[in-house]
Amino acid sequence: MKKIIFIALVFFTTGLNAQFKRPFFNTISVENGLPEGVVRTSLQDKLGYLWFGTQNGLVRYDGYTTKLYPLPDEDGKPLSTSSLDNIFEDKHGTLWVSVGNKGHYYIYDRQQDVFKKPASDNTAMNPLTTSGSTKFIYDKKNDIGWGINFDRTTGSWTLELLDLQHGTIEVFNAQKKGRYLIPAGKTVADIMIDSSGNTWLATDSLLSIYDKESRSFKPFFLLPAGMNKIFFNYITQDPVNKDMLWISTYLLDSSVDLNKAKIIQLNIKTKDYKTYDHIPSNPYSVAGTCTEVYIDPLKRMFFYTDHGISMYNRENEKFTNYLITVPGMPTNAILPINSIAADKTGNLWIGGNFNGLFFLNTTTAFTTYYNYTDEAGSLPDFKNGINKLFFDRAGVLWVSMPFSGIAWLDPKRSFFNPLKMIAPVNDANKKSSTIANYIQGIYNDSTFFVAADKNIFTWNHKNNDFKNITPLKSNQTITFGNTITDNEGLIWMASFGAGLFCYNPISKATKNYRNDPKDSSSIGYNYTSQIKEDNNGILWIGTNGNGLNSFNKKTGKFTRYPFIMNNGSTKANNVLDDGVVHSLLCSKDGNIWIGTNLGSLNRFDTKTGKFTCYMDSKNGFQCIISLFEDSRNRLWAGSYLSGLFLVNKDSGFLKHFTEKDGLSSNDIRAITEDKKGNIWLATSHGLSKLNADNDQIINYTTINGLPVVQTEGIFKSSDGLFYVSFKNGVIPFDPDNIAENKIPPGVVIESVKYHVANNTANNMDTVLFTEGRQQIELKYNENKISFQYVALHFSNASLNQYAYQLEGYDKDWIPAGTQRSVTYTNLSPGAYTFKVKAANSDGVWNESGTRFTFTILPPWWRTWWAYTLYALIFLGALRIFSKWRERKLRSEKEKLEIKVEERTNSLKTTLENLQSTQSQLIQSEKMASLGELTAGIAHEIQNPLNFINNFSEVNKELLTEMKEEIEK
């Protein structure tokens, strides 16, 4: 294994709070996505994608995969080779790339997801003929770009002005005339745009400024005659005093003492200047010949020198130097630094043309050089050094290495740095190692008890020192378990088959306590599993078959307690509910809590001597293998298969947490608490952190940083550091220092796919890229729609979480986990809005997310014009029917009138007949009445007067009626 070299201070003396012991990098190379190993230029665009321009192609990275974008030649065919010079994004969000070996610019058409030549490329914007830009800057305010180019065929320098708005390129050089002349500028060194929008150009020993009115460069400042062999190098504006420019220089004549190269501080208002020289005898002068200047987020200025980094102090105008020594290079060798990147707190990462990566923390004043091996997470063997370092918008560090690809720093995997232990077998001098070593307890803040191959050791992880404390004879082989140190400093060791051992580290004396069938005050069983000491100095021992025992060190006597052998379903009454003890806890109130195998959680009241069983097999509250009492006196119980329980000490569990609630596993092997009150769990699938106030769970597994799958336990030192044990080692870390990334991801709906639902004849999807589109309209049968989306956050992108909702279809948000696409089928016509939001790997959500609106049009027979046509047809049919009905009714009327007339005539005849018959009937009735009257008269003959009167009346009526009849 190669060495790690520490430049200023030994790294481990800074503790775990300083920086990662060994950074873990994920590398993107030719083997997994790059077309070529040299990344010459890179950019993160407005959406959050990362673009890498290599010597042979352009790729886009979304955190999951790389996508290659071919660039067309004059005939529209992909370029056979394309060496990318620059990538930049203009103020309109258009992405531009330049290809140096072909001399072309290309723009990105987001809606087609392809790169094209600008529309005016073949007219006013002529293809470039140079070998590519050595430097390119974009002036966002004026929407122009400046490129410094060197033509290798002619050996001449040119400066090119790219006017994006008008699609033109203007070329400036020392051979031109008029406004395109670069005054006194055979060598174009640097170009810069200051905060006021002024463009500054350094050529040879002249500083010029671009005059926007004449559109030409005007001389501004010339080095005095005494500096005639000094040439300008780089220009930087002071981040605090905007009137100051800093200009680095170099010596044209290599025979001249390099120490004479200067840094010039120029006041652009007064043109007064001041120089800063490297003085070997002055430790506060700049460290050497300076090239570029880096300004960190704290507005500190760091000067690249050929021997390290020099930080300028404004208060005293002195420099603080951080010299760098590279293994294998002479101490006075030139150190070409290429790039510096700083995080928000001002920690620097430094790379250059040397095999190494440096970290500089100016607060604690140390620098660390990392030289990596072929282990997982190591940077490749970057013999050609580092050409670029940068942080993306989420704070992830990227390292570009010529011929080796580009890598990003994984902070979680860097944070969990395992310490592997190789315990010797039998003899500390032997180099052979055991098959498996397990931490059995913590001795002090730096030393653990380790059980290994029938031996027990103390292991000081700081110096990797092992001491065999196995209390056995040479011919004995016993497996040891839980080991503790009591309040007297004695070491107690559980064993599987040999009872209990007590080791005195001072006298080296050992005492073994074994079961004596004839002595009831001896330990109840030789297979012991757990040892705890209470506040009174009483030892409590859990056995693997005899339940709970206690040991009084003063009397040397053991006490055994009643138990039953459970079958997993019996709730015990005032006895321990199983003979196999997996966990023990001596609580602050003096009670003893016992977790058993086929039983559950038990409480033993040391005052009353009574057991209480809390078994609840229906809810899985059984087989308790871990117990913990937190700072708020809350009791936590971890089960073997059923997750975590928060226990009410009087009645049973209050809350139950399982994998469904977010735990990494239902197998809870150890429980502890950090300084903030978070509950930490060691499981068979990693670590889980529970915020008991809001029940939020964060998992740490091999996916997001943990170097091992299965954790065995968590041990906490007096200063709050955690030591997570696993097979053959521990993972030390301070839980308070786990930096969760608080920056939410950018969310992009990349594309929409749709095709005719249930169409088996044409199974091809139509792909639509959504960038720049507000909404789309689809046909009624284009109602099978898929959305592809991505969260652009590169810190463990595989753990980014998603949720989506289709307004007009879904009532609520749909959790999607890590799924990055969704399909809807047979959508009805209507207006819809698809929304998606995402969270980074630390669970920080971008709640606003993004959205896309679309409308599914109804079929033609359900459109408004179809319904209008239907109405017109209906009205026409109704009119025709009305006319037909009218004619029919008229005909029916005529027929009816004829029938009425015929019927009327018939009725008249019938009426006449009836009237005649009626008259006859009336006459007959009258005659009958006359007969009756005559009979009456005869009967009443005795009264002639009445007869005569009646007869007279009747005759008058008859005469009247006869007259009426005659008139009729």
Side-chain angles (χ1 to χ4, degrees):
M1 182 180 291
K2 297 179 181 179
K3 294 182 179 179
I4 298 178
I5 300 170
F6 306 98
I7 304 303
L9 297 177
V10 178
F11 184 84
F12 291 105
T13 62
T14 63
L16 293 174
N17 297 329
Q19 183 59 29
F20 310 123
K21 287 189 176 181
R22 188 176 69 84
F24 190 104
F25 287 92
N26 299 282
T27 301
I28 306 171
S29 62
V30 175
E31 288 76 12
N32 58 0
L34 290 183
E36 197 270 339
V38 179
V39 177
R40 302 190 66 208
T41 181
S42 56
L43 174 79
Q44 186 172 26
D45 69 15
K46 64 177 184 179
L47 298 178
Y49 290 104
L50 281 172
W51 296 86
F52 304 133
T54 74
Q55 288 187 144
N56 191 27
L58 174 68
V59 296
R60 187 185 74 180
Y61 182 61
D62 62 5
Y64 301 89
T65 59
T66 56
K67 183 176 182 179
L68 179 65
Y69 284 81
L71 303 174
D73 60 12
E74 289 76 5
D75 299 324
K77 298 179 180 179
L79 294 173
S80 57
T81 59
S82 53
S83 181
L84 277 294
D85 272 342
N86 295 288
I87 308 174
F88 70 94
E89 198 170 36
D90 66 22
K91 66 179 182 180
H92 307 290
T94 302
L95 197 67
W96 293 70
V97 299
S98 64
V99 182
N101 61 332
K102 300 298 181 182
H104 290 301
Y105 282 95
Y106 296 87
I107 59 174
Y108 180 44
D109 185 337
R110 293 186 184 273
Q111 293 190 359
Q112 299 295 323
D113 196 32
V114 295
F115 277 85
K116 302 176 181 178
K117 291 184 179 180
S120 58
D121 189 60
N122 294 323
T123 55
M125 184 180 287
N126 296 316
L128 302 179
T129 56
T130 61
S131 60
S133 300
T134 59
K135 182 174 182 177
F136 183 90
I137 60 172
Y138 172 66
D139 183 354
K140 188 174 184 179
K141 183 178 180 180
N142 298 301
D143 199 21
I144 58 175
W146 294 96
I148 299 175
N149 297 277
F150 179 71
D151 192 335
R152 297 181 185 276
T153 58
T154 62
S156 62
W157 291 85
T158 61
L159 177 67
E160 285 146 353
L161 170 61
L162 174 63
D163 190 333
L164 279 67
Q165 185 177 1
H166 299 95
T168 60
I169 291 180
E170 299 177 0
V171 179
F172 299 76
N173 59 35
Q175 290 76 39
K176 294 275 186 177
K177 294 182 180 180
R179 72 182 187 90
Y180 295 112
L181 172 67
I182 296 179
K186 294 182 179 179
T187 301
V188 180
D190 196 17
I191 189 167
M192 183 206 72
I193 301 172
D194 65 20
S195 58
S196 300
N198 298 313
T199 302
W200 299 90
L201 178 66
T203 57
D204 298 343
S205 57
L206 175 67
L207 180 67
S208 301
I209 186 170
Y210 184 67
D211 181 38
K212 295 177 182 178
E213 292 185 1
S214 64
R215 300 178 66 186
S216 63
F217 284 94
K218 304 296 183 182
F220 183 83
F221 175 77
L222 181 67
L223 285 175
M227 303 181 187
N228 56 346
K229 291 187 177 181
I230 297 178
F231 275 25
F232 286 135
N233 204 355
Y234 289 94
I235 320 168
T236 305
Q237 185 179 26
D238 193 299
V240 177
N241 187 348
K242 304 300 182 181
D243 294 332
M244 292 294 182
L245 296 184
W246 293 81
I247 311 170
S248 63
T249 65
Y250 67 96
L251 293 172
L252 182 63
D253 187 353
S254 58
S255 64
V256 180
D257 185 5
L258 293 178
N259 293 331
K260 292 185 178 180
K262 303 175 182 297
I263 299 173
I264 299 173
Q265 183 191 56
L266 174 66
N267 188 315
I268 58 177
K269 282 191 173 182
T270 64
K271 292 190 179 182
D272 293 333
Y273 70 92
K274 185 177 182 179
T275 62
Y276 295 87
D277 304 321
H278 168 60
I279 303 173
S281 60
N282 184 359
Y284 300 108
S285 67
V286 67
T289 299
C290 175
T291 54
E292 296 185 58
V293 180
Y294 177 78
I295 300 171
D296 73 0
L298 305 179
K299 295 185 178 181
R300 298 178 300 181
M301 298 180 66
F302 293 89
F303 291 79
Y304 297 36
T305 77
D306 50 7
H307 290 91
I309 303 297
S310 295
M311 181 178 71
Y312 178 67
N313 302 300
R314 301 179 186 280
E315 293 77 10
N316 54 19
E317 297 187 341
K318 295 180 179 179
F319 291 89
T320 301
N321 295 314
Y322 303 93
L323 303 181
I324 299 175
T325 302
V326 177
M329 293 181 65
T331 56
N332 60 348
I334 295 176
L335 191 69
I337 296 173
N338 290 332
S339 184
I340 298 177
D343 59 25
K344 293 181 179 179
T345 60
N347 296 318
L348 302 183
W349 295 85
I350 306 162
N353 291 340
F354 43 81
N355 187 13
L357 173 64
F358 288 82
F359 172 79
L360 174 63
N361 184 320
T362 57
T363 302
T364 54
F366 72 89
T367 302
T368 306
Y369 168 74
Y370 297 96
N371 199 347
Y372 290 89
T373 66
D374 294 331
E375 296 179 3
S378 299
L379 286 173
D381 190 9
F382 47 101
K383 295 180 180 179
N384 294 284
I386 294 169
N387 62 346
K388 185 177 181 180
L389 296 163
F390 66 94
F391 284 90
D392 65 23
R393 288 200 286 271
V396 176
L397 175 68
W398 291 83
V399 182
S400 178
M401 303 156 290
F403 301 104
S404 298
I406 191 166
W408 57 273
L409 176 65
D410 189 330
K412 289 291 191 304
R413 295 191 181 186
S414 303
F415 187 81
F416 295 111
N417 195 2
L419 299 176
K420 293 186 177 180
M421 54 183 177
I422 304 177
V425 178
N426 297 326
D427 192 329
N429 294 322
K430 291 187 177 181
K431 297 182 180 180
S432 59
S433 63
T434 62
I435 297 175
N437 308 313
Y438 294 99
I439 301 293
Q440 296 294 351
I442 187 168
Y443 187 26
N444 54 43
D445 287 348
S446 60
T447 305
F448 299 92
F449 296 111
V450 180
D453 192 43
K454 316 300 181 183
N455 292 275
I456 193 83
F457 297 86
T458 59
W459 173 50
N460 187 312
H461 71 87
K462 290 187 176 180
N463 54 24
N464 200 34
D465 177 57
F466 285 88
K467 291 183 179 179
N468 193 330
I469 60 169
T470 306
L472 300 175
K473 298 179 181 179
S474 59
N475 60 348
Q476 290 180 302
T477 56
I478 296 174
T479 301
F480 291 93
N482 180 225
T483 302
I484 70 166
T485 304
D486 68 13
N487 55 16
E488 300 175 10
L490 300 175
I491 297 173
W492 295 86
M493 293 167 273
S495 73
F496 299 98
L500 184 67
F501 288 86
C502 178
Y503 175 73
N504 190 322
I506 298 177
S507 65
K508 312 298 182 183
T510 300
K511 190 171 184 179
N512 184 206
Y513 298 89
R514 296 194 178 216
N515 173 257
D516 183 354
K518 298 180 181 180
D519 185 0
S520 61
S521 65
S522 65
I523 193 168
Y525 204 53
N526 286 330
Y527 286 84
T528 54
S529 57
Q530 294 291 318
I531 312 171
K532 299 293 179 182
E533 184 182 26
D534 66 18
N535 295 331
N536 298 318
I538 301 296
L539 289 182
W540 295 87
I541 302 100
T543 72
N544 276 358
N546 192 252
L548 179 67
N549 287 203
S550 65
F551 179 65
N552 190 316
K553 291 181 286 186
K554 294 181 180 179
T555 63
K557 302 294 183 181
F558 287 87
T559 301
R560 309 172 191 178
Y561 298 91
F563 66 93
I564 62 171
M565 296 305 294
N566 211 324
N567 60 4
S569 61
T570 303
K571 187 171 183 178
N573 183 17
N574 199 24
V575 293
L576 188 65
D577 65 1
D578 193 33
V580 178
V581 175
H582 282 321
S583 55
L584 277 177
L585 173 69
C586 298
S587 67
K588 299 170 186 176
D589 58 10
N591 291 322
I592 309 300
W593 294 88
I594 312 103
T596 62
N597 182 32
L598 293 179
S600 180
L601 178 65
N602 299 262
R603 182 184 66 191
F604 178 67
D605 191 325
T606 54
K607 295 179 180 178
T608 63
K610 292 183 178 181
F611 283 92
T612 302
C613 177
Y614 295 90
M615 176 177 279
D616 187 347
S617 56
K618 181 180 179 181
N619 291 294
F621 192 35
Q622 57 189 129
C623 194
I624 305 302
I625 62 175
S626 56
L627 292 168
F628 180 73
E629 189 176 40
D630 67 18
S631 58
R632 289 189 259 179
N633 295 327
R634 294 175 300 185
L635 181 63
W636 300 87
S639 71
Y640 178 59
L641 295 173
S642 303
L644 177 70
F645 296 87
L646 174 60
V647 180
N648 183 310
K649 295 181 180 180
D650 295 323
S651 59
F653 74 86
L654 291 170
K655 288 184 179 180
H656 185 195
F657 301 90
T658 66
E659 292 176 6
K660 294 181 179 179
D661 301 300
L663 293 180
S664 60
S665 171
N666 287 335
D667 176 13
I668 311 300
R669 303 192 170 196
I671 311 171
T672 193
E673 179 185 23
D674 64 22
K675 298 174 185 177
K676 298 178 182 178
N678 297 308
I679 303 301
W680 287 77
L681 313 170
T683 77
S684 57
H685 289 81
L687 297 175
S688 293
K689 181 176 73 171
L690 168 67
N691 184 326
D693 293 328
N694 57 19
D695 295 343
Q696 181 183 4
I697 296 173
I698 298 176
N699 292 320
Y700 302 93
T701 65
T702 53
I703 298 176
N704 64 341
L706 204 66
V708 297
V709 175
Q710 181 170 303
T711 57
E712 299 292 338
I714 305 178
F715 301 94
K716 186 167 65 173
S717 64
S718 60
D719 55 0
L721 295 182
F722 280 11
Y723 294 89
V724 177
S725 65
F726 63 96
K727 181 181 177 181
N728 290 331
V730 294
I731 305 168
F733 68 94
D734 186 344
D736 290 344
N737 284 348
I738 294 182
E740 296 179 359
N741 196 311
K742 299 297 183 182
I743 301 175
V747 189
V748 177
I749 300 174
E750 292 187 315
S751 63
V752 178
K753 295 182 181 179
Y754 61 90
H755 67 265
V756 178
N758 302 322
N759 183 4
T760 56
N762 182 11
N763 221 13
M764 297 295 292
D765 287 336
T766 300
V767 180
L768 185 72
F769 296 98
T770 62
E771 176 63 21
R773 303 178 191 269
Q774 298 298 322
Q775 61 180 16
I776 60 170
E777 290 184 346
L778 303 175
K779 298 177 182 178
Y780 74 96
N781 57 353
E782 295 173 336
N783 58 351
K784 182 180 180 182
I785 305 173
S786 298
F787 296 92
Q788 288 72 43
Y789 45 84
V790 65
L792 296 172
H793 198 293
F794 302 101
S795 179
N796 296 308
S798 61
L799 291 182
N800 292 343
Q801 300 290 308
Y802 300 88
Y804 60 83
Q805 182 186 26
L806 183 61
E807 287 185 349
Y809 186 87
D810 297 322
K811 294 183 180 179
D812 300 306
W813 285 92
I814 309 298
T818 58
Q819 176 184 334
R820 293 188 290 122
S821 65
V822 62
T823 300
Y824 291 90
T825 59
N826 296 322
L827 291 175
S828 301
Y832 300 90
T833 298
F834 178 75
K835 301 188 300 183
V836 61
K837 59 184 180 179
N840 65 18
S841 58
D842 287 319
V844 178
W845 283 88
N846 179 343
E847 293 291 348
S848 58
T850 188
R851 60 181 59 207
F852 184 77
T853 300
F854 65 98
T855 301
I856 298 179
L857 299 174
W860 66 265
W861 59 85
R862 292 178 59 184
T863 59
W864 66 268
W865 57 265
Y867 286 117
T868 302
L869 180 61
Y870 299 152
L872 292 175
I873 293 173
F874 175 75
L875 292 174
L878 186 62
R879 179 64 177 169
I880 294 172
F881 176 77
S882 176
K883 289 292 185 182
W884 172 81
R885 183 64 176 166
E886 183 181 355
R887 288 194 299 269
K888 186 174 181 181
L889 288 174
R890 189 180 297 114
S891 175
E892 292 290 337
K893 181 181 179 183
E894 291 174 354
K895 292 180 180 178
L896 182 60
E897 288 177 348
I898 295 173
K899 289 182 179 181
V900 168
E901 185 177 359
E902 292 176 352
R903 186 64 176 166
T904 301
N905 293 333
S906 175
L907 289 173
K908 284 183 179 180
T909 303
T910 303
L911 179 61
E912 291 176 354
N913 293 334
L914 288 173
Q915 288 176 344
S916 175
T917 302
Q918 182 182 18
S919 298
Q920 292 175 3
L921 288 173
I922 294 171
Q923 188 64 34
S924 176
E925 288 180 357
K926 290 182 177 181
M927 290 304 292
S929 298
L930 183 60
E932 290 179 358
L933 180 60
T934 302
I937 293 171
H939 180 68
E940 299 290 339
I941 194 68
Q942 294 177 355
N943 193 352
L945 181 59
N946 292 336
F947 174 78
I948 292 171
N949 288 335
N950 289 337
F951 184 77
S952 176
E953 292 293 331
V954 170
N955 283 329
K956 287 172 67 176
E957 292 179 1
L958 287 173
L959 288 173
T960 302
E961 293 176 356
M962 288 178 66
K963 185 177 180 179
E964 292 176 355
E965 290 295 327
I966 291 171
E967 291 177 353
K968 293 181 178 180

